[in-house]
Amino acid sequence: KVIELQFNDEQLLLQSLKDLGYNPTVHTDGVTLNNNYSHSKPTAHIVVKKSQFGGMGDVGFERTKDKGFVMHADDYDWGSHGKRFKFNKLCMNYSENKVKKYVNKTSRCSIFSRKENDKGQIEIQLRING
């Protein structure tokens, strides 16, 4: 399955994967993913091996020219059938890292508070400086 993502910043994507305990590998040229679910043998530039999350297949992120990255994964590992790969946490973590990057670039604001609510969502409050 191919999932279009709004992940355009490779360094933020890598950091977000590492924050979740994954050890992604980066490949300049796409490599074939090890999977049991596709005959098409998708390729990816960033790979999380299935052994890192007990998956049916590797999860891969393929660079595209227009869309940033697309993710290749088995529905069993991330979708409605199973939650082995922490996809929702990855999306939240990427968004949080994007906010942190913006805050670090500017002196106009700082992070005032961060908490996870009862729905598992991350809430960040910013303070405007000066």
Side-chain angles (χ1 to χ4, degrees):
K1 187 166 209 157
V2 177
I3 300 95
E4 291 186 18
L5 306 167
Q6 296 298 315
F7 299 161
N8 297 314
D9 188 317
E10 182 170 336
Q11 292 308 312
L12 287 181
L13 175 56
L14 287 169
Q15 183 59 51
S16 299
L17 288 164
K18 290 174 184 176
D19 290 347
L20 294 174
Y22 298 125
N23 186 23
T25 56
V26 180
H27 306 274
T28 304
D29 298 318
V31 296
T32 302
L33 295 175
N34 180 5
N35 65 50
N36 301 320
Y37 54 85
S38 175
H39 298 291
S40 65
K41 298 295 181 192
T43 61
H45 299 91
I46 298 173
V47 178
V48 177
K49 294 289 187 187
K50 64 184 179 178
S51 61
Q52 295 181 40
F53 58 93
M56 294 294 292
D58 297 341
V59 171
F61 299 87
E62 180 183 8
R63 275 185 212 101
T64 66
K65 290 183 181 185
D66 301 331
K67 300 175 186 172
F69 287 89
V70 294
M71 184 174 90
H72 298 280
D74 185 291
D75 188 48
Y76 182 78
D77 292 329
W78 79 275
S80 59
H81 298 95
K83 303 286 185 198
R84 293 172 186 231
F85 184 80
K86 302 172 194 168
F87 179 72
N88 290 337
K89 290 256 187 207
L90 175 62
C91 293
M92 285 191 300
N93 206 22
Y94 181 88
S95 296
E96 180 179 5
N97 284 335
K98 197 170 184 179
V99 169
K100 287 178 182 176
K101 182 177 179 179
Y102 172 78
V103 168
N104 289 336
K105 276 184 156 180
T106 180
S107 61
R108 293 182 48 204
C109 60
S110 59
I111 295 177
F112 177 70
S113 70
R114 180 215 183 267
K115 68 177 183 174
E116 196 167 318
N117 67 22
D118 58 352
K119 295 178 185 175
Q121 299 167 327
I122 298 170
E123 297 177 357
I124 297 174
Q125 291 182 337
L126 299 179
R127 178 186 335 203
I128 306 234
N129 297 331

